[in-house]
Amino acid sequence: MTEKSFFAGFGGQGIISLGQLWVYFAMKEGKNVTFFPFYGAEKRGGIARASVIISDDEIASPLVTMPDSTLVMNIDSLPLCEKIVRDGGLMLINSSLVKEAPIRTGINVIKLEVTGIAERIGNALFANMVALGAMARLTKALKLADIEGILKNFFPQDKHQFIPMNIKAIQAGYEAVNSEHFQ
């Protein structure tokens, strides 16, 4: 199994953290990984992107030029994700913020109220974790075993107070794929 993914949004949405955590889960599951973040110079509001590959096999090239799956967290990311996702690939759209649909056909578009789900469970800042859960279920790339243990190892001690909300958000995203939030 090899999954090439591309996560895109704006600064402050946790795109880079999502990419880091995505590959951290994969490493803990014994997979090979690559992670390439890209972000604008702005502290918040600029572009934020993460290209990740997780694979059971050795990864020949770390570049993600034609991802199997994309995550579109804001409207500005839609054109790029639509352009680069492979034919038949997956595009998860945060329908809380992205009201437009892609023009391109031949891709599997899933709309999920990622930010709305995060708000309903307590805080919109956890939308990236909702997306992580949804992407894991949709791509089947991660098992998400021992979420709490992995988060405790990933986050520094002073952030451990947020682990219960991160777990709740990841689980909400995973479960939302088969619920009323799923469009």
Side-chain angles (χ1 to χ4, degrees):
M1 182 288 305
T2 297
E3 180 71 24
K4 297 177 181 180
S5 302
F6 185 79
F7 307 138
F10 57 79
Q13 287 186 303
I15 299 298
I16 305 303
S17 297
L18 169 60
Q20 290 173 321
L21 198 49
W22 184 262
V23 298
Y24 193 73
F25 267 99
M27 286 188 315
K28 292 298 184 179
E29 293 177 13
K31 295 179 179 2
N32 296 303
V33 303
T34 65
F35 166 68
F36 276 95
F38 179 83
Y39 43 90
E42 304 88 351
K43 185 165 183 152
R44 283 192 172 273
I47 59 171
R49 299 177 183 144
S51 297
V52 297
I53 301 173
I54 59 176
S55 181
D56 294 325
D57 302 314
E58 240 180 77
I59 299 170
S61 171
L63 299 177
V64 177
T65 55
M66 193 177 298
D68 302 305
S69 58
T70 58
L71 169 64
V72 179
M73 288 292 283
N74 69 337
I75 188 63
D76 293 340
S77 299
L78 181 61
L80 175 61
C81 289
E82 171 176 19
K83 178 181 173 184
I84 65 172
V85 67
R86 71 168 172 80
D87 288 338
L90 168 73
M91 178 183 287
L92 176 61
I93 296 176
N94 177 6
S95 63
S96 299
L97 301 179
V98 180
K99 302 303 180 190
E100 295 178 25
I103 298 166
R104 182 175 164 199
T105 60
I107 56 177
N108 298 311
V109 177
I110 306 296
K111 295 179 181 180
L112 187 67
E113 294 181 342
V114 173
T115 303
I117 292 168
E119 288 170 344
R120 285 190 286 282
I121 64 169
N123 192 324
L125 294 177
F126 292 91
N128 63 335
M129 295 297 102
V130 172
L132 186 149
M135 289 291 287
R137 187 163 200 176
L138 290 166
T139 64
K140 299 176 180 53
L142 298 177
K143 295 176 186 156
L144 296 181
D146 188 26
I147 295 172
E148 183 175 2
I150 289 173
L151 293 177
K152 281 183 177 177
N153 285 322
F154 180 79
F155 290 116
Q157 184 70 35
D158 66 331
K159 303 292 184 198
H160 281 199
Q161 66 199 18
F162 302 111
I163 289 175
M165 184 60 99
N166 278 288
I167 293 169
K168 192 173 182 180
I170 291 167
Q171 291 171 336
Y174 189 89
E175 293 166 7
V177 171
N178 288 333
S179 75
E180 72 277 359
H181 303 292
F182 186 65
Q183 302 171 10

